[in-house]
Amino acid sequence: MKILLLGKNGQVGWELQRSLAPLGELIALYRHPVDGLSGDLSDLDALRATIRQVNPDVIVNAAAYTAVDKAESETRLADRVNGEACRVMAEEAMSLGAWLIHYSTDYVFSGEGSKPWQENDAVAPLNHYGASKLAGEQAIVETGCKHLIFRTSWVYSARGNNFAKTMLCLARDRESLNVIADQVGAPTGAELIADVTALAIQQVVVRPVLAGIYHLAAAGEVSWHGYANHVIAFARLQGEALAVKVVNPIDTTAYPTPARRPLNSRLNTQKLRDNFSLHLPDWQSGVTRMLREVLNK
Ligand code: NDP
């Protein structure tokens, strides 16, 4: 099996380099050209040429325009990378008979209510990032290529910046923190997403009936405020010297951002667990692992 991975240096892309390696020949690209192959999703002609040249059995797209607030002003770039590039990948996958594996987000939903979103619930993105990701999903489905689309939420990895690391930094310096308490979701590790992707590819290539959209997130739920408290309590237990004395819960309305965020980011993962016979661990286990790595404990 020949696999073309796009976005190899992102949180999920980095972990996919590890999890996809045992499945076959892996050609992993990032936005800068290597050996005449371009992994830049904003250059649609070059992307098309790269896919034709590689001639993969599976395309895994971990690249995306993920700057949620910036997407409100850089709408054209977000649309090209998250929407139009997906159509190019899907068209090329279709003509090659290849699989296209792609990632999307709970931001395709309105964030209303408190019920975990199911795959066929009505979509209604609140911000431009969500709308551009939805356009990508729709392009893939419309094209009719063999695909898996994993909608996930609140992705973190030990590599690069993440919410937990930011909270640790702030907690070392400040006595009081304000953290949003009315947005609820499940922090989901890039490692878990990459491992599930590899397991799902192995199954879907022999059972194409499993193709479709799936919700993929760690089990359980928490607010950003609860997540921050968890991180701080864990760090304290590990002997970290923290200045923080109080973590105040605040509402989203008290922290205005250019892009609106959904309050309900809960994803119902039953379909994924049933169809692929998978177990999704609770969010705390992955976060603890990441914190041990970050704190070097
Ligand atoms: P990251 O932001 O960590 O990685 C995205 C990658 O895409 C980066 O390596 C970035 O490169 C690359 N990229 C951006 N623009 C281009 C471009 N024009 N051409 C090629 N590469 C480009 O994202 P994640 O790993 O967290 O996200 C993986 C997937 O999961 C995405 O589809 C995202 O929409 C989705 N998702 C993410 C969530 C999150 O909380 N992070 C939540 C829900 C869904 P560079 O570093 O050079 O900019």
Side-chain angles (χ1 to χ4, degrees):
M1 182 154 63
K2 194 194 263 189
I3 304 171
L4 172 61
L5 168 63
L6 296 157
K8 70 170 185 173
N9 285 345
Q11 297 190 93
V12 174
W14 181 257
E15 292 298 331
L16 283 167
Q17 289 193 58
R18 169 188 56 75
S19 74
L20 297 178
L23 299 188
E25 182 190 352
L26 180 62
I27 293 113
L29 301 178
Y30 69 140
R31 70 164 81 220
H32 302 295
V34 178
D35 298 335
L37 298 175
S38 168
D40 183 354
L41 270 59
S42 67
D43 185 341
L44 303 181
D45 291 338
L47 177 63
R48 200 182 285 282
T50 293
I51 297 171
R52 288 184 186 176
Q53 201 177 328
V54 173
N55 190 16
D57 303 298
V58 182
I59 303 166
V60 181
N61 177 35
Y65 183 106
T66 54
V68 175
D69 287 319
K70 229 166 137 193
E72 294 298 304
S73 47
E74 284 192 337
T75 54
R76 288 187 59 184
L77 183 58
D79 288 344
R80 195 170 336 131
V81 173
N82 291 345
E84 292 157 38
C86 289
R87 183 172 297 280
V88 168
M89 286 181 234
E91 286 170 355
E92 293 306 311
M94 185 72 186
S95 70
L96 293 173
W99 281 91
L100 175 57
I101 317 298
H102 179 68
Y103 302 92
S104 189
T105 168
D106 67 276
Y107 280 26
V108 298
F109 296 116
S110 68
E112 283 169 14
S114 56
K115 213 171 139 231
W117 298 102
Q118 289 185 283
E119 284 79 355
N120 53 5
D121 282 339
V123 287
L126 290 180
N127 57 42
H128 197 80
Y129 166 75
S132 70
K133 293 295 293 182
L134 177 59
E137 288 187 4
Q138 289 171 339
I140 292 169
V141 173
E142 276 164 27
T143 310
C145 70
K146 297 182 290 184
H147 65 271
L148 287 174
I149 298 172
F150 297 113
R151 290 190 188 131
T152 188
S153 68
W154 295 20
V155 179
Y156 65 84
S157 69
R159 207 165 167 263
N161 293 326
N162 69 40
F163 173 83
K165 283 195 202 174
T166 305
M167 287 302 121
L168 282 175
C169 274
L170 294 173
R172 286 188 182 110
D173 294 343
R174 299 193 195 168
E175 291 200 349
S176 159
L177 302 180
N178 295 333
V179 185
I180 289 173
D182 59 352
Q183 291 175 24
V184 176
T188 301
E191 284 182 345
L192 177 65
I193 296 170
D195 290 345
V196 167
T197 301
L199 291 167
I201 290 174
Q202 281 179 294
Q203 294 192 46
V204 85
V205 293
V206 291
R207 288 186 61 208
V209 67
L210 294 176
I213 298 183
Y214 290 90
H215 289 175
L216 163 51
E221 63 180 58
V222 67
S223 68
W224 292 112
H225 177 258
Y227 186 7
N229 276 328
H230 178 86
V231 168
I232 289 164
F234 182 84
R236 276 229 162 86
L237 266 179
Q238 301 304 317
E240 284 291 302
L242 302 179
V244 73
K245 292 200 172 89
V246 56
V247 183
N248 302 305
I250 60 164
D251 283 347
T252 299
T253 48
Y255 187 72
T257 50
R260 284 177 68 201
R261 264 58 173 187
L263 299 185
N264 177 18
S265 286
R266 297 170 183 89
L267 291 172
N268 180 323
T269 60
Q270 191 77 44
K271 181 183 169 192
L272 177 72
R273 287 180 285 123
D274 287 352
N275 283 7
F276 290 93
S277 304
L278 286 170
H279 172 75
L280 294 169
D282 60 36
W283 65 267
Q284 292 94 331
S285 59
V287 167
T288 299
R289 207 179 135 83
M290 176 264 293
L291 288 172
R292 283 194 190 283
E293 212 170 320
V294 166
L295 296 168
N296 219 353
K297 299 287 180 188

